[in-house]
Amino acid sequence: MLQYGIMMYMNPEAYKKRDIILDSIADGVFTIDKNWHITTYNRAAEEITGIPREKAIGQICKDVLRASVCETDCALRYTMDTGSPVINKPVHIIDAEGGRKAITISTALLKDDKGRVIGGVETFRDMTVVEELRKQVQDKYTYEDIISRNHIIQGLFNILPQVAESDCTVLIEGQTGTGKELFARAIHNLSPRREKSFVAVNCSALPDTLLESELFGYKAGAFTDAKKDKPGRFALAQGGSLFLDEIGDVSAAIQVKLLRVLQEKTYEPVGAVSSEKANVRIIVASNKGLVELVEQGKFRNDLYYRINVVKLPLPPLKDRSEDIPLLIEHFIHRFNGIYNKNICCLSDDAMAAMLNYDYPGNIRELENSIEHCFVLCQGDVIETRHLPPSMKKSITFKDSDISTFRTLRQTEALMIERALRRNKGNRTAAAKELGINASTLFRKLKGLNIRTE
Amino acid sequence: MKVALPVWQGRVSSVFDFAHKLLVIEFEEGREKDRQEIVLVEQSGPNRAAMLKQLGVRVLICGAISRPLAEMINGSGIQVLPFVSGPTEQIINAYETGRLSKPQYILPGFWPGARRGFRRCRGWKGGRG
């Protein structure tokens, strides 16, 4: 740092010119001296890592870049030791916002005019959008893709490793758009079966006869035009996990067959004369309460007890409103990459409308609403006029309209009251939901003069 | 009370999510009673959080940490003191003497509220509990 300062003092023009050149590069660039201290740090590096130049310069590079390889397989160390460059090595970093980012890094030696090695240079490129698209194409979602600070979801996170490890059947219950498949994929990706396939089937999307052959497959000659064997989803998921979505919609006949697979771990493809073994971990999901379906006689109770080994109830978005700003931020970041825009945030009124809305379609609806805003918004800030019509209504028809509040104190009081109401007056649970200490909440209740029963 | 620190070459590891070694120190009545080093294999966030809980860790002192993992660990009742940088022994000493929030131990670049746990531990002199 001192050395950098002295050099800047001795030849300020040359260094200013160099910084201008470096700042015009779209890739992140930093240089280090022989002691691994950062000596230059360009604007793109600031943007990718979220760490400003003045804080980065003089620090050890691994404390700033925070890459997965820094301590075990450092690319710069390799280059400094061997003299060979590293080109486009894919790694992950943790940025200043606490997010995991995919980047590629390239390294080279830094030499003075006499050819002596004086340090190293690392360039890196943000691959978040590519990674995001790859995830969408390959459906490789992990727990990190579930964004929540809600205490119920955090509680589920706590048991997720044990659930994933156990190989038992898991029932995920939640309204449409609450992330049932995301949880199922997270369980699979944490489980010992993660190297094998994850196969998802939406049971309500297929008619009964088709569902049977889709799940169990068929043999040649089983029916007209069945010219050759076709493996079913159970066979495709062999060794891996099978996710049966909307299990509440399957017919009684299929329920019996599923019960048999769960009990005996065997199944028969349509038209087969012998059984086949099913080495498959089954994860099921339903957007309807299966208990009610059992009571109504629409769902077999023996199957229900078979699948209800571990139940993960996912709360609807309206019950985890503390996650809405986090999710909005996540989707803005994501759509900025996809739509090549630079939208920073929502106006206060637009945010108020989004917080006030009930989201019957849950996170999927929120995601689509943000995408709607992205299509219409030409500036940097999403305004109320960019919101979908259903959300605009929420501005006018709601009680205790947050958009009419202008002070932080009023908004804080409203958020606390709502959190207390949602948690039936339980202050510890409300504090947890709000992401603050219980003692901070008590202090705020007193300060804001909010009475609780 | 058990305190854990991810370590690498005598310093606090830069990122807990990617750390390979964990130092677990047990304090009793303000004094160090026992310490052990645990090798962290390739583990996902929930596995790391579950392992800390299983070890009976009450406080995690670490460098950078991803937000979901920090929230997960916090959610399981473990206090997280993140964005700490420095030589391991100095950091342990600073923790014992309640000086961990000093500027020389701060790792640059963290989100607002990330270091709120330090407010709770300010003035803590070590070893109770």
Side-chain angles (χ1 to χ4, degrees):
Chain A
M1 181 78 178
L2 184 67
Q3 196 188 4
Y4 177 77
I6 292 167
M7 289 192 293
M8 273 290 281
Y9 180 74
M10 286 170 71
N11 197 352
E13 278 307 308
Y15 280 88
K16 205 172 164 189
K17 212 171 182 179
R18 185 203 60 191
D19 283 348
I20 291 169
I21 294 169
L22 283 178
D23 284 350
S24 65
I25 301 171
D27 287 355
V29 181
F30 69 80
T31 59
I32 54 158
D33 61 18
K34 281 182 157 180
N35 297 317
W36 311 98
H37 288 108
I38 292 176
T39 50
T40 48
Y41 200 74
N42 78 341
R43 189 174 297 153
E46 289 184 303
E47 279 165 18
I48 297 169
T49 61
I51 299 174
R53 186 185 323 221
E54 60 274 17
K55 284 193 175 167
I57 286 179
Q59 297 284 341
I60 296 173
C61 54
K62 77 179 182 77
D63 285 349
V64 174
L65 189 67
R66 302 165 185 178
S68 46
V69 291
C70 282
E71 292 180 352
T72 50
D73 189 20
C74 173
L76 263 174
R77 184 176 291 278
Y78 171 81
T79 299
M80 300 274 261
D81 288 348
T82 63
S84 312
V86 170
I87 296 161
N88 288 336
K89 185 184 174 101
V91 300
H92 282 94
I93 60 163
I94 303 293
D95 67 10
E97 284 301 309
R100 187 187 272 245
K101 240 180 207 169
I103 61 166
T104 56
I105 55 173
S106 302
T107 57
L109 288 176
L110 199 62
K111 294 177 181 175
D112 66 6
D113 46 9
K114 292 192 177 82
R116 289 175 301 202
V117 176
I118 54 166
V121 58
E122 182 158 324
T123 58
F124 50 103
R125 185 168 292 176
D126 189 350
M127 303 297 282
T128 319
V129 177
V130 179
E131 173 90 348
E132 185 67 39
L133 293 172
R134 189 185 60 80
K135 267 186 182 174
Q136 276 187 17
V137 171
Q138 298 179 351
D139 275 333
K140 287 264 178 201
Y141 289 99
T142 64
Y143 85 97
E144 285 142 6
D145 300 295
I146 303 165
I147 294 157
S148 179
R149 63 190 327 180
N150 175 269
H151 67 282
I152 298 172
I153 303 281
Q154 290 296 330
L156 296 180
F157 278 153
N158 288 337
I159 59 164
L160 222 52
Q162 294 100 298
V163 172
E165 197 69 31
S166 73
D167 219 35
C168 66
T169 307
V170 180
L171 168 61
I172 306 170
E173 270 192 354
Q175 291 177 5
T176 177
T178 47
K180 296 187 287 291
E181 187 166 339
L182 210 55
F183 261 89
R185 286 185 189 278
I187 291 169
H188 171 74
N189 287 326
L190 279 172
S191 76
R193 294 173 177 268
R194 61 181 163 268
E195 300 301 328
K196 301 279 182 172
S197 317
F198 175 93
V199 178
V201 186
N202 189 328
C203 299
S204 67
L206 298 166
D208 222 30
T209 42
L210 211 55
L211 182 63
E212 186 182 352
S213 59
E214 197 59 38
L215 285 177
F216 306 113
Y218 57 76
K219 293 284 177 192
F223 45 81
T224 314
D225 223 29
K227 290 186 179 119
K228 53 182 182 180
D229 292 2
K230 182 186 179 266
R233 301 294 176 106
F234 271 94
L236 294 174
Q238 192 72 359
S241 308
L242 180 67
F243 175 57
L244 301 173
D245 201 1
E246 313 297 3
I247 189 89
D249 291 339
V250 299
S251 70
I254 301 283
Q255 285 179 34
V256 177
K257 288 181 194 264
L258 284 175
L259 184 64
R260 174 141 187 263
V261 184
L262 287 166
Q263 273 175 340
E264 327 233 333
K265 303 276 178 206
T266 58
Y267 65 94
E268 275 149 32
V270 180
V273 284
S274 60
S275 299
E276 301 207 358
K277 284 214 159 128
N279 172 20
V280 175
R281 200 257 176 91
I282 295 176
I283 304 169
V284 302
S286 175
N287 63 0
K288 296 170 183 165
L290 287 185
V291 179
E292 288 88 70
L293 293 180
V294 169
E295 280 166 5
Q296 291 163 16
K298 290 178 182 163
F299 200 82
R300 290 180 69 101
N301 59 359
D302 43 6
L303 179 61
Y304 174 70
Y305 294 124
R306 273 278 162 196
I307 59 174
N308 186 20
V309 182
V310 174
K311 184 149 102 178
L312 303 180
L314 302 185
L317 188 57
K318 69 174 190 308
D319 291 348
R320 39 183 282 216
S321 55
E322 71 274 31
D323 286 342
I324 295 172
L326 284 179
L327 290 161
I328 289 173
E329 197 183 312
H330 167 76
F331 290 130
I332 286 180
H333 185 70
R334 189 165 136 204
F335 288 128
N336 268 334
I338 293 170
Y339 284 91
N340 201 18
K341 288 193 173 184
N342 204 14
I343 290 172
C344 68
C345 48
L346 272 76
S347 69
D348 290 350
D349 292 343
M351 179 60 97
M354 285 214 132
L355 284 169
N356 245 352
Y357 187 63
D358 272 346
Y359 297 97
N362 292 295
I363 300 159
R364 193 178 294 126
E365 187 179 2
L366 175 64
E367 183 183 0
N368 292 344
S369 305
I370 298 287
E371 192 166 7
H372 176 103
C373 298
F374 261 76
V375 172
L376 299 183
C377 180
Q378 297 299 321
D380 294 343
V381 179
I382 294 171
E383 308 279 351
T384 34
R385 64 194 151 92
H386 303 129
L387 296 176
S390 56
M391 269 181 196
K392 283 184 193 157
K393 278 183 206 158
S394 75
I395 305 170
T396 42
F397 290 118
K398 280 277 168 167
D399 63 335
S400 61
D401 186 350
I402 201 168
S403 63
T404 60
F405 294 154
R406 278 289 171 263
T407 69
L408 184 64
R409 192 181 157 88
Q410 285 173 321
T411 314
E412 203 172 56
L414 181 72
M415 295 305 281
I416 290 173
E417 275 174 12
R418 283 184 177 177
L420 282 166
R421 220 177 303 149
R422 272 196 300 273
N423 290 287
K424 299 182 178 77
N426 184 334
R427 288 184 282 187
T428 315
K432 212 167 184 183
E433 188 186 305
L434 291 163
I436 56 173
N437 248 334
S439 53
T440 311
L441 179 65
F442 294 155
R443 190 164 40 78
K444 283 185 187 292
L445 287 172
K446 209 173 166 190
L448 297 164
N449 204 16
I450 300 170
R451 278 188 296 172
T452 54
E453 293 89 56
Chain B
M1 186 180 78
K2 284 184 179 172
V3 176
L5 304 92
V7 289
W8 184 74
Q9 292 188 348
R11 293 180 67 86
V12 175
S13 193
S14 295
V15 189
F16 178 60
D17 301 57
F18 310 135
H20 287 259
K21 213 184 271 177
L22 189 73
L23 179 66
V24 181
I25 304 172
E26 192 170 356
F27 288 100
E28 204 175 77
E29 289 169 0
R31 288 192 183 163
E32 188 180 322
K33 187 188 161 200
D34 186 32
R35 68 166 68 187
Q36 61 176 133
E37 260 188 18
I38 293 160
V39 176
L40 300 167
V41 281
E42 291 284 322
Q43 276 175 325
S44 66
N47 280 326
R48 289 197 172 204
M51 187 204 60
L52 289 174
K53 209 173 175 191
Q54 215 170 15
L55 288 167
V57 170
R58 292 268 298 276
V59 178
L60 173 73
I61 301 169
C62 60
I65 184 169
S66 65
R67 213 164 172 162
L69 183 55
E71 277 164 9
M72 205 179 292
I73 297 170
N74 258 322
S76 63
I78 297 167
Q79 187 184 11
V80 184
L81 302 176
F83 298 95
V84 168
S85 166
T88 313
E89 294 308 321
Q90 255 186 52
I91 295 296
I92 296 166
N93 186 265
Y95 176 69
E96 284 180 283
T97 52
R99 290 182 295 110
L100 200 54
S101 55
K102 297 273 180 213
Q104 66 261 38
Y105 304 124
I106 298 177
L107 191 70
F110 46 85
W111 67 89
R115 283 172 58 92
R116 64 170 179 250
F118 283 84
R119 269 175 276 156
R120 271 179 276 161
C121 82
R122 198 164 33 190
W124 188 80
K125 298 293 175 198
R128 286 193 298 267

